[in-house]
Amino acid sequence: MNNLAIKAVGITKRFPGVTANDNVSFELRVGEIHVLLGENGAGKTTLMNILAGLYSKDSGEIYVWGQKVEIKSPQDALKLGIYLVPQTPKLVRSMTVLENVVIGLKKAGIILPTRKVRDLVEGLTKSYHIIVDIDAPVYRLSASEQKRIELLKALIRHARILIFDELTTSLSPSEKADLLKFMRKFARSGGAIIFVTHKMHEVFEVGDRVTVMRNGRVVGTFDVSEVTPDKLTELMFGKSIKPESIPRLTKPGDVMFRIDNLWVDLDGYKCVRGVSLDLHSGEILGLAGVAGNGQKELVETIIGIRQPSKGKIYAKLNGKFVDITDKPTIWRLKSGISYIPEDRIRQGIIPDMTVMENVILGFRFSEDAISGLLINWSKIKAQVSEIIKKYEIATPSADVLAKYLSGGNIQKLIIAREFESKPTILIAFNPTLGLDASSTRYIWEMLIEMRNKGAAILLISEDLDEILSLSDRIAVISEGEIRGIFSREEARLDDIGRLMVRAK
């Protein structure tokens, strides 16, 4: 066990109605990058949360650096050198990078970081080539820069085992390459990394070994050099998933949605700068960009959560263009505009309501289910059960609280509700974030089907593969500005990547 950083034996964890981990055993060697693969609900995140001290196991044993341990909190994990780098950084936006890095450290100053601590942080940025302005306030930084802060937080706390949960999400190709370089350097310097990902190519780009989970169990562990993508896919899903060509329409219809010279301010900072876009019926317009470049504020303004400082938004409703700039969100949703939010927990569901209750929020049922003030609950349950089956939402029943679903299944629930409302205009913000390959493919097919039936779809995604696969046209946003618009035939990955990280 001398070369093992972590050894987990027979880990079991149950939630109401769900066994998330079922007698799971897993080993992480010193100096390796161990990739963890599995479809939504496979139990990957639960296992990582147990190792990081966020969940307690029901049974099983954990050994760290050869010693049997009980990890009851993140503090316990950190004392053992384990640090979970979250997909979404947990930072104080009003504080600087340096203040976020050292907050809670005993060796930091009482009010401001000491010169010695400052020098230490600057030394880490140079040693690991982490490019970030340590004096910049967090709210001014891109998502990629914020992720670098989490790396610094781990390094200054002497973490020796890093857990990366879908960390490449929202990164440009060059930023992803920098992260992979960091991972290799950290592992080869005596550390160890668990890398959770849904992207098959990343397994072979950075992994030494790979473990596949399905239905809460480990189904195989392999040296990356001795396994193929087809084999891993079959283990993940119990079947082979063959790529298929995605049909496209050659000609879009009329303009259904228009953004005209839109400007949005946030705390005095112009985060959306003169954006103008037309969205046609029968079209998917992809908006590509590194997270933190105005997409979130643009979407919130489109849906009515935020008001612009300048510009107009128009939608074609009942054959006529309507200025919806000042219309409330509920009016827009009732008028045929649907919204798949990026933040699935805060904006997409009510966690303490059941799956059925979340599906029926704002949903139109058949007249035999709801007539006036009369509700036929048996009919509603039957329709919800059909929706759960159709969208392959993994849940023991429709009566389970939504908060007990995996992140991917929560996303499927939201998508099911919005797709079934049959919108004329759909705003989809990272619709497949956190979904496995099979679920992603299914959602892509649903988007294409909606597009082919005439829906106008604005797809905002940080996954360039998704943008290139689905979009009829592609707009690139950087620092709140549209830097270029391409037809799919004109689009090139290198050109889009350069525009995404372009500085003003």
Side-chain angles (χ1 to χ4, degrees), residues 353-365 370 375 377 380-381 383-384 387 413 417:
M353 291 177 66
T354 67
V355 171
M356 182 176 71
E357 290 166 339
N358 273 281
V359 169
I360 67 178
L361 287 172
F363 186 74
R364 296 180 181 179
F365 287 90
I370 299 179
I375 299 176
W377 284 105
I380 287 180
K381 287 182 178 180
Q383 291 185 35
V384 169
I387 291 170
L413 187 159
R417 183 180 63 222

Side-chain angles (χ1 to χ4, degrees), residues 36-52:
L36 192 59
L37 277 176
E39 64 178 321
N40 299 123
K44 308 181 304 297
T45 299
T46 298
L47 179 61
M48 295 304 99
N49 284 339
I50 289 171
L51 296 177

Side-chain angles (χ1 to χ4, degrees), residues 98 100-103 105 107-108 116-118 120-122 124 149-159:
L98 181 60
N100 270 278
V101 170
V102 304
I103 191 170
L105 285 180
K107 55 188 173 185
K116 183 178 180 181
V117 171
R118 183 184 184 88
L120 177 59
V121 173
E122 288 179 339
L124 290 172
I149 301 174
E150 288 288 353
L151 299 181
L152 288 172
K153 288 169 64 177
L155 292 172
I156 202 170
R157 287 162 176 78
H158 306 293

Side-chain angles (χ1 to χ4, degrees), residues 248 277 283-289 459 464 466-477 482-493 496 499-500:
R248 283 184 170 78
L277 291 170
E283 174 187 53
I284 296 178
L285 173 61
L287 185 62
L459 171 65
L464 276 181
E466 182 165 75
I467 290 287
L468 291 168
S469 295
L470 297 182
S471 304
D472 299 293
R473 290 187 299 139
I474 299 170
V476 182
I477 188 170
I482 300 299
R483 302 292 188 176
I485 300 178
F486 307 87
S487 68
R488 184 183 178 276
E489 292 71 26
E490 297 171 331
R492 296 291 181 269
L493 180 61
I496 292 173
L499 289 175
M500 284 169 63

Side-chain angles (χ1 to χ4, degrees), residues 241-266:
I241 299 176
K242 299 296 183 182
E244 301 172 2
S245 61
I246 298 177
R248 283 184 170 78
L249 294 181
T250 58
K251 187 177 179 180
D254 295 336
V255 174
M256 296 294 294
F257 193 78
R258 174 167 290 162
I259 302 169
D260 183 21
N261 192 30
L262 201 69
W263 293 74
V264 181
D265 292 350
L266 178 62

Side-chain angles (χ1 to χ4, degrees), residues 21-61:
N21 284 167
D22 187 1
N23 195 34
V24 170
S25 294
F26 174 85
E27 292 183 354
L28 175 67
R29 295 172 183 166
V30 177
E32 81 167 341
I33 300 173
H34 196 134
V35 181
L36 192 59
L37 277 176
E39 64 178 321
N40 299 123
K44 308 181 304 297
T45 299
T46 298
L47 179 61
M48 295 304 99
N49 284 339
I50 289 171
L51 296 177
L54 296 171
Y55 292 164
S56 59
K57 57 184 172 57
D58 294 336
S59 60
E61 298 178 346

Side-chain angles (χ1 to χ4, degrees), residues 309-492:
S309 56
K310 182 181 178 182
K312 295 289 186 180
I313 302 173
Y314 302 93
K316 195 170 187 179
L317 305 172
N318 298 319
K320 295 182 179 180
F321 266 106
V322 178
D323 181 353
I324 67 169
T325 311
D326 298 322
K327 299 291 186 183
T329 299
I330 189 65
W331 187 95
R332 302 181 198 209
L333 297 178
K334 287 183 176 180
S335 299
I337 301 174
S338 280
Y339 173 45
I340 299 172
E342 179 186 41
D343 190 336
R344 60 175 72 111
I345 302 298
R346 295 182 181 180
Q347 295 183 335
I349 65 164
I350 300 177
D352 288 320
M353 291 177 66
T354 67
V355 171
M356 182 176 71
E357 290 166 339
N358 273 281
V359 169
I360 67 178
L361 287 172
F363 186 74
R364 296 180 181 179
F365 287 90
S366 58
E367 293 182 359
D368 60 344
I370 299 179
S371 178
L373 297 177
L374 299 177
I375 299 176
N376 187 327
W377 284 105
S378 63
K379 291 283 187 181
I380 287 180
K381 287 182 178 180
Q383 291 185 35
V384 169
S385 295
E386 289 178 6
I387 291 170
I388 289 172
K389 183 178 180 180
K390 177 180 177 181
Y391 290 87
E392 300 176 357
I393 302 171
T395 177
S397 78
D399 296 320
V400 169
L401 296 183
K403 66 182 179 183
Y404 292 127
L405 299 183
S406 69
N409 281 298
I410 289 174
Q411 189 75 340
K412 288 185 190 179
L413 187 159
I414 296 166
I415 287 169
R417 183 180 63 222
E418 299 306 317
F419 281 16
E420 289 295 312
S421 69
K422 297 178 172 56
T424 56
I425 299 167
L426 174 66
I427 312 299
F429 196 0
N430 287 322
T432 63
L433 182 65
L435 297 185
D436 55 61
S438 178
S439 301
T440 293
R441 180 71 198 188
Y442 182 78
I443 299 305
W444 285 9
E445 290 172 350
M446 295 298 294
L447 285 168
I448 292 294
E449 182 181 339
M450 288 183 65
R451 192 275 315 267
N452 287 346
K453 289 180 178 178
I457 301 174
L458 178 61
L459 171 65
I460 304 96
S461 178
E462 294 147 17
D463 185 338
L464 276 181
D465 290 337
E466 182 165 75
I467 290 287
L468 291 168
S469 295
L470 297 182
S471 304
D472 299 293
R473 290 187 299 139
I474 299 170
V476 182
I477 188 170
S478 176
E479 295 189 334
E481 296 183 27
I482 300 299
R483 302 292 188 176
I485 300 178
F486 307 87
S487 68
R488 184 183 178 276
E489 292 71 26
E490 297 171 331
R492 296 291 181 269

